[in-house]
Amino acid sequence: MKTLIIRCLVFQAIILTCNSAASGGGDVDFTILIKNEMHNFKNSTVFYHCTSSKKDMGWHRSVPSSEYHWSFKVPKFGTGVMIHSCEFRSRLGTANIEIKTLSTTAILCDGHICEYVVRRNGIYFIGYELYYPFGMFLELSRPVVKLVEPWTPWSPQQLKALHRTKQFHP
């Protein structure tokens, strides 16, 4: 069984190497998708703001079942990385995450769409994680729904400031 798994993985690596060599140079396209999954929850609106060194996506208002996405490019080889910082605000509090994307992130994002969902207890990444069932000799991936950042409850000072200004987002 181990031999069969190793042969399949080697064959897959050969196919991936041939495909990437045939596609030539250039950057890798990625999309970040954010979904609001705070269903059956009173006042489940979420506001979020994401930025990178190249672009500010601005503030967005999200209700349950809504989605927002944006696309960007990452260098195909080397140490090129795109970092997006995202701030989330909801009735439950705040959450701040940093999304680092390299060309090899496609393995973890089920292709080139990296999916994040907003739920009652925080922000989740939905994709794949790498693991090593036979030590460091064999790397496999498995599906994962991983809590990236839980909600940090609003402090009394923050709540007073929000109520005074009657603004929930800039």
Side-chain angles (χ1 to χ4, degrees):
M1 182 66 176
K2 285 183 186 179
T3 305
L4 178 62
I5 291 173
I6 291 171
R7 285 182 183 173
C8 287
L9 289 172
V10 168
F11 184 65
Q12 185 179 16
I14 291 169
I15 290 172
L16 290 173
T17 304
C18 291
N19 286 343
S20 62
S23 64
D27 295 336
V28 179
D29 293 319
F30 277 96
T31 298
I32 292 179
L33 173 66
I34 298 176
K35 294 181 181 181
N36 183 338
E37 291 186 355
M38 295 206 341
H39 305 285
N40 303 320
F41 186 64
K42 185 180 177 183
N43 198 5
S44 55
T45 301
V46 177
F47 296 92
Y48 48 90
H49 178 228
C50 296
T51 61
S52 73
S53 62
K54 294 187 178 186
K55 189 172 183 182
D56 184 337
M57 273 50 82
W59 282 96
H60 295 274
R61 180 179 183 269
S62 173
V63 295
S65 300
S66 65
E67 298 179 354
Y68 177 72
H69 68 275
W70 68 92
S71 298
F72 57 97
K73 294 183 180 290
V74 175
K76 192 171 197 171
F77 299 106
T79 57
V81 62
M82 178 64 72
I83 299 174
H84 290 91
S85 297
C86 297
E87 176 185 355
F88 293 83
R89 296 179 182 180
S90 79
R91 182 183 141 210
L92 298 170
T94 63
N96 296 304
I97 65 171
E98 192 172 74
I99 302 170
K100 295 180 181 177
T101 310
L102 295 97
S103 60
T104 56
T105 304
I107 296 168
L108 306 177
C109 289
D110 195 20
H112 298 281
I113 299 175
C114 299
E115 185 176 336
Y116 291 83
V117 296
V118 180
R119 294 186 177 159
R120 291 176 82 156
N121 55 341
I123 314 301
Y124 284 81
F125 169 73
I126 297 179
Y128 293 87
E129 69 179 357
L130 300 176
Y131 72 106
Y132 305 89
F134 307 109
M136 296 303 289
F137 300 108
L138 181 61
E139 179 182 83
L140 298 175
S141 65
R142 60 183 166 206
V144 66
V145 176
K146 187 179 240 176
L147 178 64
V148 177
E149 184 71 24
W151 291 110
T152 301
W154 294 100
S155 71
Q157 294 82 7
Q158 288 173 315
L159 289 174
K160 283 180 186 176
L162 285 173
H163 290 292
R164 271 195 307 265
T165 62
K166 297 286 184 191
Q167 287 184 328
F168 196 65
H169 66 88

